[in-house]
Amino acid sequence: MDSKVLYILILSGILNVGYCGVIKDKTEDPNTLIDIDGYLEKYGYMESRPPFETEEEILNSDAYRKTAIRKFQSFAGLDATGILNDATIDAMRKPRCGVKDIQTPEEVAQADRPLNFYAPGYKWPSKTITWRASRPTRKLSEATQRYAFENAFKYWSDVTPLKFEYTYGEPDIDIQFAVRDHGDGRYNAFDGKGGVLAHAYYPTNGDTHFDDEESWVFRKNEGTDIETVAAHEFGHALGLGHSSEPKSLMAPFYQGFNPDFKLHEDDIRGIQSLYGTKDGEITTTHAPTTTSSGNDVTPVSPTVCNMKFDAMTLGPDGFTYVFRNKTVYRLNNTGVVATMLSRHVYPGAPRSPGAAVYMDNTKNTFIFKGRRIWRYTGFQLDADYPITITDSNYPTRIHAAIAFKSTGSTAQQIYLFNDNSFWEFNPNTNSIVPGFPLTISGFWRGIPAGIEAAIQWTDGDIYFFKGDKYRRFDADRRTLTKGYPKDKAPAWLGSVCGSAPK
């Protein structure tokens, strides 16, 4: 067998894969290709290949590929021969969800032994979960869609203490129909009719998106059944990964509409391992074919109290906002008062921003990540943003930023920080002020290298965050305040972490 990257010519079209997306084969072009190595990498059976410079570097050995094929066959319920036979190719062509079947060893301790049900460790903190179809499709009536979604949720609420409530406000699970690139990144873009059908995110995001170019139907097989796809994706939104049980709803392959469908016992064990039975008891199984992932579900409070601050800024509403991954935490003087998706507060905001600042004289918020900048007026993204900075003096890795104002002054200056240096950024020209960078140690005495977030707060002092500690800096005297560093969580996140004065 040729040991180069392997492609198999098929008749029914190229297999498209996307994050947590249910997939169908394309049929428009009768002569297209499946990238077998790419498929095995995408779904966790082989390690992803790094960028290559020579042909030698792109070779995957026959033995390595055979092991990966054997793993896939085992997961798909086929004879685990390691031989790429017709049955294996047919299994790879099946409509399916694009989330990994096997996590890497760093993600799951038992990566080389696919589980039946798999719960990665994400769950909702409340047993009442709100939902809303904020952007429905026009291919079915809104009443039909609501009925389909209610039915899809009911599969899960029938076997757990979970309650799903429709809301006209900000939902936990936001359902949207969209096309092509819809703001989830280019690798998660929909690809038109016959490709990725839908995708969903784990808690506590939960957003579920459907490709609006599909032929959506309700309880039919002459198209794509919205209830069946929604029930699978809601499983992900509740915290379930894929199952190696082929009859399970959470198996990776789309199974079409079945009028007699019921949750498989494997689906039930999986969801009850997260939320308990209808009576609220958490269940486990001792069946030899089902094992836990080894990842304990972390309670919400410790997760918040131990989190890294990606960025921190005051907001135009007077609250303080802390960014972490896709989430933003709204803080007042006593601690956290709300937790939201950052893109629901700052539309289009990037995941894990490097820094953020608010300019109270212009009412602009700037979010920095790499060479890109997002600018908001109030909470609305300004036209033509985000922009990419081409100034060669601009730092490519920004860890923190402050909008600095001297006592008695109305002017503000934006300072950007990385490990050991800082720069002044001119927001009018989107460029670095001449004379920078300067060293942090030379100007901000007592502040360590590698700070992770910073803010000039409402009391006029500047606060620098690193790890689980923070330091208070007297802006006028340019000195570190005595008694610091202190633990950041009690002082900033409030009673959930044990309140303490700043």
Side-chain angles (χ1 to χ4, degrees):
M1 182 183 292
D2 189 352
S3 61
K4 295 182 180 180
V5 179
L6 182 62
Y7 289 84
I8 298 296
L9 184 66
I10 65 172
L11 296 179
S12 64
I14 192 166
L15 183 70
N16 293 279
V17 294
Y19 178 79
C20 197
V22 181
I23 297 165
K24 276 190 175 179
D25 296 326
K26 296 265 186 192
T27 57
E28 290 84 353
D29 184 355
N31 297 295
T32 48
L33 300 171
I34 282 181
D35 176 0
I36 299 298
D37 283 355
Y39 184 99
L40 294 170
E41 290 172 5
K42 172 68 179 177
Y43 296 110
Y45 299 99
M46 297 198 322
E47 292 184 6
S48 296
R49 298 174 297 226
F52 308 119
E53 296 181 358
T54 67
E55 182 175 351
E56 184 70 21
E57 291 175 327
I58 71 172
L59 300 182
N60 282 304
S61 71
D62 288 345
Y64 182 44
R65 182 183 296 112
K66 184 174 288 188
T67 298
I69 292 172
R70 188 180 296 114
K71 289 180 181 180
F72 171 76
Q73 291 168 331
S74 177
F75 196 99
L78 304 174
D79 290 337
T81 62
I83 298 172
L84 190 64
N85 52 28
D86 288 344
T88 303
I89 296 172
D90 287 344
M92 289 182 174
R93 292 174 54 193
K94 286 183 178 179
R96 62 155 295 157
C97 180
V99 73
K100 279 186 177 182
D101 299 331
I102 302 177
Q103 306 297 307
T104 64
E106 291 76 15
E107 296 168 321
V108 181
Q110 300 185 31
D112 62 351
R113 182 184 178 192
L115 310 175
N116 277 21
F117 80 76
Y118 170 53
Y122 306 100
K123 65 181 244 182
W124 293 97
S126 172
K127 294 296 192 296
T128 299
I129 299 169
T130 60
W131 69 278
R132 178 167 66 99
S134 64
R135 190 185 300 164
T137 183
R138 295 183 179 180
K139 297 179 180 180
L140 295 168
S141 71
E142 291 191 26
T144 298
Q145 293 173 70
R146 180 163 178 168
Y147 184 55
F149 295 142
E150 288 173 345
N151 291 339
F153 282 122
K154 191 173 185 297
Y155 288 120
W156 302 110
S157 62
D158 279 350
V159 296
T160 66
L162 294 175
K163 292 177 58 180
F164 298 98
E165 294 183 353
Y166 190 89
T167 180
Y168 291 96
E170 187 74 22
D172 295 317
I173 297 176
D174 187 16
I175 301 166
Q176 298 184 14
F177 285 77
V179 298
R180 309 293 170 160
D181 187 350
H182 55 287
D184 289 343
R186 64 188 181 94
Y187 292 111
N188 299 320
F190 291 135
D191 55 2
K193 186 176 181 180
V196 177
L197 301 182
H199 59 225
Y201 293 90
Y202 289 131
T204 53
N205 183 323
D207 286 1
T208 303
H209 299 162
F210 296 80
D211 187 348
D212 206 14
E213 293 186 70
E214 301 297 338
S215 297
W216 294 108
V217 297
F218 177 59
R219 294 189 172 180
K220 296 178 182 178
N221 273 314
E222 297 79 17
T224 305
D225 179 51
I226 189 172
E227 183 177 313
T228 302
V229 175
H232 176 97
E233 298 302 335
F234 292 162
H236 289 312
L238 295 175
L240 289 179
H242 280 153
S243 171
S244 62
E245 167 54 59
K247 295 181 181 179
S248 166
L249 173 65
M250 295 313 297
F253 306 110
Y254 173 64
Q255 301 173 36
F257 170 64
N258 176 3
D260 299 318
F261 173 78
K262 295 180 181 179
L263 284 183
H264 189 276
E265 184 62 29
D266 193 67
D267 299 312
I268 296 172
R269 287 198 301 265
I271 199 67
Q272 288 181 348
S273 76
L274 292 175
Y275 299 101
T277 66
K278 194 71 173 176
D279 296 329
E281 179 182 354
I282 296 294
T283 63
T284 59
T285 178
H286 300 287
T289 57
T290 304
T291 60
S292 71
S293 69
N295 293 341
D296 293 332
V297 176
T298 305
V300 174
S301 295
T303 301
V304 172
C305 297
N306 296 327
M307 73 175 177
K308 172 183 177 290
F309 289 4
D310 289 332
M312 190 174 190
T313 183
L314 292 173
D317 54 1
F319 289 98
T320 301
Y321 289 87
V322 172
F323 295 81
R324 177 59 177 159
N325 294 330
K326 295 180 180 179
T327 303
V328 65
Y329 299 83
R330 180 186 289 157
L331 281 58
N332 63 11
N333 291 340
T334 60
V336 178
V337 295
T339 304
M340 300 153 288
L341 292 176
S342 56
R343 58 189 174 88
H344 287 172
V345 181
Y346 295 94
R351 177 174 179 169
S352 304
V357 296
Y358 174 65
M359 307 284 286
D360 60 15
N361 55 347
T362 62
K363 310 304 179 187
N364 289 137
T365 298
F366 293 83
I367 295 179
F368 303 88
K369 184 172 184 178
R371 286 189 168 273
R372 303 185 78 196
I373 299 176
W374 289 253
R375 190 185 74 191
Y376 298 81
T377 300
F379 290 106
Q380 297 299 314
L381 183 65
D382 288 347
D384 300 325
Y385 281 82
I387 61 172
T388 300
I389 303 300
T390 58
D391 183 352
S392 61
N393 294 321
Y394 186 84
T396 56
R397 294 179 62 85
I398 300 171
H399 296 167
I402 59 172
F404 175 72
K405 182 192 297 184
S406 300
T407 302
S409 173
T410 59
Q412 288 178 287
Q413 299 160 285
I414 295 178
Y415 292 118
L416 309 176
F417 298 80
N418 70 4
D419 285 331
N420 299 293
S421 304
F422 74 101
W423 292 254
E424 183 179 347
F425 175 75
N426 186 334
N428 298 315
T429 60
N430 289 322
S431 62
I432 296 298
V433 173
F436 288 85
L438 300 174
T439 63
I440 293 173
S441 59
F443 191 87
W444 309 91
R445 292 189 294 272
I447 301 304
I451 59 171
E452 298 168 347
I455 188 171
Q456 185 171 24
W457 205 49
T458 55
D459 58 8
D461 283 348
I462 301 172
Y463 296 84
F464 293 91
F465 298 82
K466 182 178 181 180
D468 62 355
K469 304 293 184 184
Y470 77 101
R471 291 161 173 82
R472 184 173 185 169
F473 192 86
D474 187 315
D476 293 327
R477 295 185 175 87
R478 286 177 47 202
T479 57
L480 187 67
T481 302
K482 291 182 178 180
Y484 292 81
K486 291 183 178 181
D487 292 338
K488 74 180 183 186
W492 292 90
L493 302 180
S495 59
V496 69
C497 305
S499 296
K502 293 179 177 60

